[in-house]
Amino acid sequence: EAGVAQSPRYKIIEKRQSVAFWCNPISGHATLYWYQQILGQGPKLLIQFQNNGVVDDSQLPKDRFSAERLKGVDSTLKIQPAKLEDSAVYLCASSLVRVVGSPLHFGNGTRLTVT
Amino acid sequence: GDSVTQMEGPVTLSEEAFLTINCTYTATGYPSLFWYVQYPGEGLQLLLKATKADDKGSNKGFEATYRKETTSFHLEKGSVQVSDSAVYFCALSDLAGSSNTGKLIFGQGTTLQVKP
C-alpha cells in the first residue's frame, strides 16, 4: 500500500512569514495526526483528527498554527507568522482506527528552517 | 499526564555487541507500548509493540517485554549490526482518562551508533 505522503520535504522561510504543509494519509485511514519534532527531542502531538473532526488540539499554538482536514482525507497545517522556535520537522501520521495498540504510519516529514 | 522516559544517548557499540536501551513510563490506565525507529533520512517506522502486561514484542532480532510492575519496556538485541545505527523512540498509547485520545506519547529518543 502507498504510505503517508507529505510535501514539501524541506522549507526555509524568514521569521514572520507564513508556511503551509500538506499531508495525504494512507487510503481508508480515519485518524490523522500532526506531530512536531524539534532536533534532539521526541515528536510532540500538535493536533489529532478523526475523519474531519478535531479530537485533540490541546498542544497546538492556536495564535499562529492552524490545521484542517477537508472531507476527512488530506490535511494542511499552516503557521502564520513563523517564529525561530518553529524550526523543526513536521510529521504527519495516520492510523486505521483510534484504538489502543493500532500502529501509526508516519510520512517522511517536512523539515522547516526559520531564519 | 502520561509520559515516557528513555536513557540518554548516544549509545556507541561495536558490531555484535549486546544492546539495551532503557524505557520507563507513567500512565493513567493500561497503555500499549511501542518502539519506533528512525533511520537516517527516513521517517519513523514501527519496530515492535506490546499491548498488555508480560507481552513480548519482537522484530528483526529486537525484543522488549511489557513489565507492569516496573513500568518498563526496555529494548534489547543480542548482536547489533552497523545497519542498526538509528534513533530509537519508546512510546505509549493510552485511552484511559479524559485527556488520552489514543495518541502516541514519545520519549526523547536514543541514538545508537554501531561501529564495525
Side-chain angles (χ1 to χ4, degrees):
Chain A
E1 63 181 3
V4 176
Q6 290 189 247
S7 68
R9 190 70 193 271
Y10 305 93
K11 191 73 177 178
I12 301 173
I13 61 172
E14 296 182 350
K15 59 183 179 185
R16 291 187 289 273
Q17 287 187 323
S18 62
V19 64
F21 313 126
W22 173 82
C23 171
N24 182 233
I26 293 173
S27 178
H29 280 198
T31 309
L32 185 147
Y33 308 80
W34 282 102
Y35 280 84
Q36 179 193 58
Q37 186 178 12
I38 293 172
L39 187 64
Q41 299 181 18
K44 182 186 78 173
L45 181 74
L46 292 174
I47 189 166
Q48 178 182 349
F49 292 95
Q50 181 72 17
N51 296 310
N52 60 350
V54 176
V55 174
D56 184 349
D57 63 356
S58 57
Q59 297 194 78
L60 185 75
K62 298 180 185 65
D63 58 334
R64 298 184 300 107
F65 286 64
S66 64
E68 59 182 6
R69 190 182 184 196
L70 299 176
K71 300 180 181 178
V73 182
D74 293 9
S75 179
T76 303
L77 176 69
K78 297 179 180 176
I79 308 175
Q80 182 179 15
K83 293 185 174 182
L84 295 176
E85 60 260 36
D86 298 332
S87 294
V89 176
Y90 290 84
L91 298 168
C92 180
S94 68
S95 64
L96 185 59
V97 291
R98 187 168 68 90
V99 296
V100 172
S102 181
L104 271 61
H105 300 262
F106 284 85
N108 286 335
T110 297
R111 183 177 297 277
L112 173 67
T113 302
V114 182
T115 63
Chain B
D2 292 6
S3 64
V4 176
T5 303
Q6 291 180 235
M7 64 186 285
E8 294 273 342
V11 174
T12 303
L13 297 173
S14 298
E15 208 164 22
E16 299 183 5
F18 185 86
L19 168 71
T20 300
I21 301 178
N22 290 337
C23 170
T24 57
Y25 67 90
T26 302
T28 305
Y30 302 93
S32 286
L33 302 174
F34 304 81
W35 278 99
Y36 277 78
V37 60
Q38 190 170 37
Y39 297 104
E42 298 184 18
L44 282 162
Q45 303 173 26
L46 177 65
L47 181 59
L48 54 84
K49 71 173 186 178
T51 57
K52 60 182 187 297
D54 300 325
D55 268 2
K56 177 185 283 188
S58 61
N59 186 25
K60 300 181 181 179
F62 291 89
E63 293 183 339
T65 300
Y66 189 142
R67 300 288 188 200
K68 187 170 182 294
E69 64 274 16
T70 55
T71 61
S72 64
F73 193 54
H74 304 320
L75 182 68
E76 297 182 335
K77 186 175 185 181
S79 176
V80 294
Q81 306 299 312
V82 173
S83 57
D84 293 326
S85 298
V87 183
Y88 292 82
F89 292 92
C90 185
L92 70 78
S93 176
D94 188 1
L95 279 173
S98 59
S99 63
N100 291 319
T101 59
K103 63 182 178 287
L104 280 178
I105 296 171
F106 288 89
Q108 73 270 33
T110 302
T111 300
L112 171 65
Q113 298 173 338
V114 181
K115 299 188 174 181

